[in-house]
Amino acid sequence: MNTHVITPNLNTTLLHHHHHHVHGLTNSSHRYSKTNHRLFHSFKVSNNVRVFSELKSQNKIDYNDPDWKDKFKEDFEARFRLPHITDIFPDASSMRSTFCLKMRAPITRDFHGNYDSGEEWNGYISDNDRVLLKTIYHSSPTSAGAQCIDPGCNWVEQWVHRAGPRKNIYFKPEEVKAAIVTCGGLCPGLNDVIRQIVITLEIYGVTEIVGIPFGYRGFSDKELMEIPLSRKVVQNIHLSGGSLLGVSRGGPGVSEIVDSLEERGINMLFVLGGNGTHAGANAIHDECCKRRIKVSVIGVPKTIDNDILLMDKTFGFDTAVEEAQRAIYSAYIEAHSAYHGIGIVKLMGRSSGFIAMQSSLASGQIDVCLIPEVPFDLHGPHGVLSHLKYLIESKGSAVVCVAEGAGQNLLQKTNDTDPSGNAKLGDIGVYIQQETKNYFKENDIHADVKYIDPTYMIRACRANASDGILCTVLGQNAVHGAFAGYSGITVGICNTHYAYFPITEVISHPQLVDPNSRMWHRCLTSTGQPDFI
């Protein structure tokens, strides 16, 4: 599902510009949002030749250099190297891991400095283990979904670090105070990830675990107290939706958060959130390095929109697609049961149309799918409304699925932003509903239009089985990464394997649906819709 081209230095350059201005989390999220807006058009891969020329001029890749592939690999390895506490504390010593599944009982508070379980176990991950980022060799830039590094579409291996427990750790469990914070909006699976982080920390031997209430706000609001966490507290929280810790957008400045970390004695911070939250987490990591504080900051990507770079999917996405089926089915029944019925369903997706696309594919009941990445006309001979008229005349009903970020160019723009700095979107669903009613009335054709917006019902659901497994593994691997001494990283699933990524490499811009991808073509085949331009 990865949709962008990995190129030398491009993301790093963008992130350098972005982080240079980070003063507070609210500001960083706001500037991230502006960066997104600028990047959407440059990363929509509709003309590979144009993209290649842009990349060549921006990155000064000399494809005539016989060693360009080796230089590319070296640059890629440098960019995807995982930040480690030994970067700041070169004398930091490691010790035998307290995580060993052959032990009969978990580590107790009484360590006596002896971490050796006395048993050999072959379940550890080597620091040199890698996961292949891309698995398809596109022989031509014109291949559907082609992700090419150069105009010749040469194959260049790109490896990222495999996630999992290491044989040696860099934190003594009895000296760890771990904190978990959930930021942004709600998403199915938040409680599942919290639960697994707590359980895995306890298996390592950590006894002091707290939750920071209501996102980054909990670091500065004196009225919000830490929430003590243990296996007993989190045992059944995955059975309900929402977040045990609560969520919020925005928050205090980075310096204030790091001050709070020092005051509280927190040396492991697990941050669950999307792109803006991860930008904040990376800024916290940078500030800790600047102050020479031994803190491991680990991100767990949380976005129901599935718009995080490099990852197959993010937790909550499968549940969202599954729950969206209920709304689509209701819209279909309403439309199918009415004379000239039209059902309109608005789903989440500010900048990426993955939920709308996958939901349309899964349901098999959608006639028109509209996403932010593919522009469309509502009026005119090739517009959506003209096609709806054709559907009403030919089959008697129609169902439309639209992502919330689609068609924003058709709406009156505002300069309002939410506390995270995201631009407030116009309601494209209501707009299409009204325009559809007006269109059919003007053409003297009866139309029974029903509109459904299940956004908050979907967000508040508990995770389904697929997401439950994903959340479990992500939570466990987040803890493994922290004890391995990494910081400023995030964990995700890549080509069905779990991997660690530097945060800087996943937040440069959102992952978008590639209009030339096979998955979008499959969606178009399923709906039978034409181009609406």
Side-chain angles (χ1 to χ4, degrees), residues 303-342:
T303 166
I304 205 168
D305 293 348
N306 196 45
D307 61 353
I308 301 289
L309 285 177
L310 307 174
M311 300 178 188
D312 294 354
K313 63 179 179 180
T314 51
F315 75 83
F317 175 70
D318 273 356
T319 304
V321 171
E322 184 175 303
E323 289 299 319
Q325 304 307 298
R326 305 177 192 274
I328 291 174
Y329 181 68
S330 297
Y332 169 77
I333 292 298
E334 287 286 348
H336 189 67
S337 301
Y339 175 64
H340 286 184
I342 298 175

Side-chain angles (χ1 to χ4, degrees), residues 342 368 384-393 398 400 436 440:
I342 298 175
V368 176
V384 174
L385 295 176
S386 177
H387 184 61
L388 287 179
K389 179 174 177 288
Y390 163 77
L391 292 172
I392 289 297
E393 293 173 344
V400 178
T436 301
F440 280 91

Side-chain angles (χ1 to χ4, degrees), residues 1 3 40 44 303-308 314 317 320-321 324-325 328 345-362 366 368-376 401-407 425 428 510-515 517 519-521 523-524 527 529:
M1 205 175 285
T3 59
F40 286 158
K44 287 181 182 177
T303 166
I304 205 168
D305 293 348
N306 196 45
D307 61 353
I308 301 289
T314 51
F317 175 70
V321 171
Q325 304 307 298
I328 291 174
V345 180
K346 185 183 78 172
L347 298 175
M348 287 157 290
R350 291 184 58 86
S351 58
S352 303
F354 289 106
I355 291 181
M357 176 179 69
Q358 298 283 49
S359 298
S360 298
L361 269 170
I366 297 298
V368 176
C369 179
L370 305 173
I371 61 174
E373 296 87 342
V374 180
F376 62 90
C401 177
V402 56
E404 62 180 320
L425 301 177
I428 186 64
Q511 177 168 256
L512 305 176
V513 173
D514 179 359
S517 66
M519 192 59 75
W520 178 243
H521 292 170
C523 183
L524 296 179
T527 63
Q529 69 191 64

Side-chain angles (χ1 to χ4, degrees), residues 406-424:
Q408 291 299 304
N409 60 304
L410 305 175
L411 306 174
Q412 184 175 357
K413 295 183 179 179
T414 68
N415 294 322
D416 292 340
T417 59
D418 64 21
S420 292
N422 299 311
K424 290 186 178 180

Side-chain angles (χ1 to χ4, degrees), residues 223-473:
E223 295 182 359
L224 301 176
M225 305 298 293
E226 293 178 353
I227 302 173
L229 300 176
S230 65
R231 188 177 191 126
K232 185 177 181 179
V233 172
V234 303
Q235 186 62 45
N236 296 314
I237 63 173
H238 63 301
L239 301 180
S240 61
S243 169
L244 171 71
L245 307 178
V247 296
S248 72
R249 298 188 183 277
V254 174
S255 181
E256 189 175 351
I257 291 177
V258 177
D259 288 343
S260 181
L261 291 177
E262 286 192 279
E263 292 170 6
R264 299 167 190 254
I266 293 170
N267 52 7
M268 279 190 188
L269 177 62
F270 299 94
V271 181
L272 283 59
N275 278 304
T277 300
H278 271 65
N282 195 64
I284 294 170
H285 159 74
D286 288 343
E287 181 67 15
C288 288
C289 292
K290 180 181 176 181
R291 298 190 192 186
R292 296 185 58 81
I293 306 171
K294 187 181 177 183
V295 177
S296 177
V297 182
I298 308 293
V300 182
K302 178 236 65 176
T303 166
I304 205 168
D305 293 348
N306 196 45
D307 61 353
I308 301 289
L309 285 177
L310 307 174
M311 300 178 188
D312 294 354
K313 63 179 179 180
T314 51
F315 75 83
F317 175 70
D318 273 356
T319 304
V321 171
E322 184 175 303
E323 289 299 319
Q325 304 307 298
R326 305 177 192 274
I328 291 174
Y329 181 68
S330 297
Y332 169 77
I333 292 298
E334 287 286 348
H336 189 67
S337 301
Y339 175 64
H340 286 184
I342 298 175
I344 301 172
V345 180
K346 185 183 78 172
L347 298 175
M348 287 157 290
R350 291 184 58 86
S351 58
S352 303
F354 289 106
I355 291 181
M357 176 179 69
Q358 298 283 49
S359 298
S360 298
L361 269 170
S363 71
Q365 296 167 328
I366 297 298
D367 298 293
V368 176
C369 179
L370 305 173
I371 61 174
E373 296 87 342
V374 180
F376 62 90
D377 291 332
L378 204 55
H379 297 276
H382 301 289
V384 174
L385 295 176
S386 177
H387 184 61
L388 287 179
K389 179 174 177 288
Y390 163 77
L391 292 172
I392 289 297
E393 293 173 344
S394 60
K395 56 180 287 194
S397 64
V399 183
V400 178
C401 177
V402 56
E404 62 180 320
Q408 291 299 304
N409 60 304
L410 305 175
L411 306 174
Q412 184 175 357
K413 295 183 179 179
T414 68
N415 294 322
D416 292 340
T417 59
D418 64 21
S420 292
N422 299 311
K424 290 186 178 180
L425 301 177
D427 197 328
I428 186 64
V430 171
Y431 179 76
I432 291 178
Q433 176 195 25
Q434 295 301 323
E435 291 298 302
T436 301
K437 288 181 177 180
N438 295 337
Y439 174 82
F440 280 91
K441 184 177 181 179
E442 291 170 0
N443 284 273
D444 200 23
I445 302 173
H446 174 80
D448 191 341
V449 183
K450 297 293 194 302
Y451 174 60
I452 299 175
D453 180 355
T455 298
Y456 294 107
M457 295 173 66
I458 291 175
R459 289 187 357 163
C461 290
R462 61 169 292 193
N464 65 9
S466 174
D467 272 328
I469 295 171
L470 177 59
C471 292
T472 295
V473 183

